[in-house]
Amino acid sequence: MEDCSKRLLDLVVLGGLLLVSCSEPPVAPRGGPIVLITLDSLRADVVTGMGGEPELTPHLADLIREADWAGRAVALSSAAVPSMASLFTGLRPWQHHALHDGAARLSPELLTLPKALRSAGYRTAGYHTGHWYTGEFGYDLGFDVFEDLGKGGEAAERLAGLGEGRQFVWVHIPEPQAPYVRRDWLLPRLSEPAGSLPRLPHTIEPVQLAAYFDPAVPLPDEERRRFWALYRLNAAWADERLGRLLEALRSSGQWNRTVLAVTSNHGEEFGESGQIEHGGNLGRELLEVPLIIKLPAGSARRIAVLAGQRVSAGRLWATLVEVAGGKVPPAAAPSLFRRAAPAVLSELYLTNGTNKFSLLEGDDQLLWESRFAPAERDYYRARAELLAGPPEPGDAGDAGDSKGEAISPAAVASIARRLGAAFAATPPLTGNRGPSLSLQRWGRRGSKPVHDPLRRAEMARRLAATWTTFLTEELPPAEEAREWLEAFPLPPAAPQP
């Protein structure tokens, strides 16, 4: 039997060849630079102009008013690794196979955005932040210049120096993800009077949030208010960093010729679905992110998306490739210049014994959970210990099992091995027994469960049909992803943070 993953990989590679060697050459782009700015963990409902506080993100608000299209996009995952890989490839997580922290590297066979634009004649520069978006994981491929963002000075200088030639610049701003930092000069941007805010420490580190990632650990209201306030302050700081980049771009004299896109890799949760941070589930607060697109002045192109309609964040890839005059591979999500079905499929793999899927149609969200292994009792505390790092000599630490003993590194590795082996051997969508299904309806804010068995069954059929697009059968991950796993073996890593 022909291996399905080989056919999928061939399809993706064929699309890349079409970009550079199609018998009908791509139409030469007439515009100027292409700039993509991504933020980390920015949910849509904190953005001014999308339901957020009136003064919180003024630079984003100004850009929304000037944009050709601005609205709410749906991330293709709530975890860092697969969500950014989807932005870089236009593919769903199961297609690009950067599924989780243990399999985070982009295959060199994939046609990433910088590779596609460089093939179309663009000089490319990337300014990255964070552990997962480095050259170690394949994000440098296709970039002529690839540097750590740092404080942003070199990225701003690059934007200020843009000329009329074809240039692509990607900048990833690490905020508003944790650590959350209190910047007092931004406090007036919060809607609460200063006296009503809880006591805000100077910094909250990710390890301080880790315990509440466990759904079984209740999040005290005072802590939730503290985390939520500092997260929004981080969003205000991210907006300030964005504003400095936009000011540099305007100073280049290329603003009216530039295609500019601003979005986030995923959102952030503060107890709305029983967890905190991101990567634990596929709730609305984790998937709904801002997407803002500014086209060159006088552009004949039009975004073919109705105002107020949510779109897949994965469609941004094809949008920027088409702007450059390139061809879009058939497996990639269609550009925003084309009409497409509004449903969005999101995916989350290798959680505590489960894979999770979401299909959003209008305001209805079908949540599908398949199980590949029994839940590990110490999964969440093992995750917390990984975030905390090794204890200092003589420090017993706070984490421990029911007897007060710390979880050993061997026990953490054992949990990872058990989950990893079961995940690799189990069909991801159907799991080892029938999936658990639930239906949610998104309102003006948040979402709520809906009891509608017919609608739930109808959406479940569409979710399965969408997930199996480009696949002839569902195979376990180890078999389906043979090319990726042979090139980049799955290490005995711990559960994804």
Side-chain angles (χ1 to χ4, degrees):
M1 180 187 299
E2 183 182 0
D3 190 277
C4 293
S5 62
K6 181 63 166 66
R7 293 200 298 274
L8 175 58
L9 184 59
D10 287 345
L11 186 60
V12 175
V13 174
L14 173 62
L17 294 176
L18 284 173
L19 179 69
V20 297
S21 61
C22 181
S23 58
E24 295 183 11
V27 176
R30 298 179 181 176
I34 297 175
V35 176
L36 170 62
I37 300 175
T38 54
L39 299 101
D40 208 302
S41 308
L42 179 65
R43 48 194 272 177
D45 63 358
V46 302
V47 175
T48 303
M50 293 187 183
E53 291 152 292
E55 305 298 330
L56 190 67
T57 60
H59 299 291
L60 280 165
D62 289 344
L63 186 59
I64 287 170
R65 285 188 287 269
E66 191 170 351
D68 290 84
W69 191 90
R72 297 169 182 244
V74 180
L76 274 66
S77 185
S78 64
V81 164
S83 60
M84 184 63 82
S86 289
L87 286 175
F88 255 57
T89 63
L91 303 173
R92 295 186 292 103
W94 190 252
Q95 293 174 304
H96 59 61
H97 266 267
L99 297 178
H100 51 79
D101 293 358
R105 187 172 182 184
L106 295 173
S107 167
E109 301 294 336
L110 292 170
L111 184 64
T112 61
L113 184 60
K115 289 166 70 174
L117 296 182
R118 189 161 70 174
S119 295
Y122 279 72
R123 286 180 292 150
T124 57
Y127 297 88
H128 62 90
T129 51
H131 173 70
W132 300 113
Y133 311 142
T134 62
E136 179 183 355
F137 298 103
Y139 280 87
D140 59 331
L141 298 178
F143 280 113
D144 300 311
V145 174
F146 189 71
E147 299 176 354
D148 188 279
L149 176 63
K151 294 183 178 181
E154 291 186 9
E157 185 177 347
R158 167 98 35 193
L159 292 172
L162 288 176
E164 295 186 359
R166 300 180 194 175
Q167 299 179 74
F168 168 61
V169 180
W170 169 56
V171 182
H172 183 65
I173 297 173
E175 289 86 13
Q177 73 166 340
Y180 306 143
V181 178
R182 188 192 74 224
R183 295 176 172 86
D184 291 346
W185 63 279
L186 293 172
L187 282 169
R189 294 194 185 180
L190 300 181
S191 59
E192 301 99 320
S196 68
L197 288 169
R199 185 189 63 81
L200 301 179
H202 180 267
T203 306
I204 292 180
E205 298 289 343
V207 67
Q208 296 172 261
L209 307 172
Y212 304 112
F213 191 78
D214 184 350
V217 177
L219 176 61
D221 183 64
E222 185 75 1
E223 286 287 79
R224 186 198 64 78
R225 292 178 59 232
R226 182 176 293 113
F227 296 160
W228 177 235
L230 280 172
Y231 168 78
R232 285 146 54 219
L233 283 178
N234 255 27
W237 172 240
D239 182 75
E240 282 298 305
R241 298 193 70 175
L242 173 68
R244 295 171 190 180
L245 295 173
L246 297 182
E247 181 181 3
L249 177 57
R250 289 180 188 276
S251 72
S252 70
Q254 299 300 311
W255 178 263
N256 288 335
R257 301 181 68 248
T258 297
V259 175
L260 170 66
V262 177
T263 191
S264 177
N265 53 358
H266 50 68
E268 197 84 328
E269 179 185 353
F270 293 89
E272 291 89 347
S273 295
Q275 292 182 279
I276 200 168
E277 299 183 275
H278 53 268
N281 61 75
L282 295 176
R284 178 178 185 175
E285 293 75 18
L286 297 176
L287 294 183
E288 197 173 44
V289 297
L291 174 59
I292 307 168
I293 299 176
K294 184 197 79 67
L295 300 174
S299 173
R301 292 183 178 271
R302 294 291 182 268
I303 303 294
V305 179
L306 299 176
Q309 178 182 314
R310 299 183 191 89
V311 300
S312 168
R315 297 178 65 183
L316 180 59
W317 185 92
T319 303
L320 298 182
V321 169
E322 286 190 357
V323 162
K327 298 286 186 179
V328 174
S335 80
L336 296 170
F337 300 123
R338 303 175 184 274
R339 296 194 180 277
V344 184
L345 176 63
S346 304
E347 307 165 31
L348 181 63
Y349 296 95
L350 192 52
T351 62
N352 189 13
T354 63
N355 299 317
K356 302 182 181 185
F357 307 87
S358 161
L359 184 70
L360 183 70
E361 292 184 339
D363 291 332
D364 288 349
Q365 181 187 29
L366 189 281
L367 294 172
W368 172 307
E369 182 177 292
S370 66
R371 182 159 291 282
F372 60 83
E376 291 281 349
R377 184 191 65 177
D378 290 327
Y379 172 86
Y380 293 104
R381 286 194 294 160
R383 176 185 179 277
E385 287 211 3
L386 285 171
L387 287 174
E392 297 293 331
D395 181 8
D398 295 328
D401 61 17
S402 58
K403 297 181 180 179
E405 299 173 356
I407 302 173
S408 70
V412 172
S414 179
I415 290 172
R417 282 194 297 270
R418 286 195 296 271
L419 289 176
F423 170 75
T426 309
L429 188 66
T430 56
N432 55 24
R433 60 173 184 255
S436 171
L437 305 176
S438 61
L439 188 63
Q440 298 276 324
R441 185 155 295 152
W442 293 9
R444 290 192 62 185
R445 281 186 175 272
S447 58
K448 61 181 181 180
V450 174
H451 180 70
D452 188 340
L454 291 178
R455 176 67 168 152
R456 185 179 62 202
E458 171 192 18
M459 290 186 66
R461 286 192 293 271
R462 279 200 285 277
L463 186 152
T466 303
W467 188 87
T468 54
T469 303
F470 300 112
L471 299 172
T472 57
E473 61 180 317
E474 181 191 3
L475 298 174
E479 187 173 351
E480 178 68 40
R482 190 177 309 279
E483 285 83 4
W484 283 270
L485 293 175
E486 286 178 353
F488 314 110
L490 182 68
Q496 70 176 37

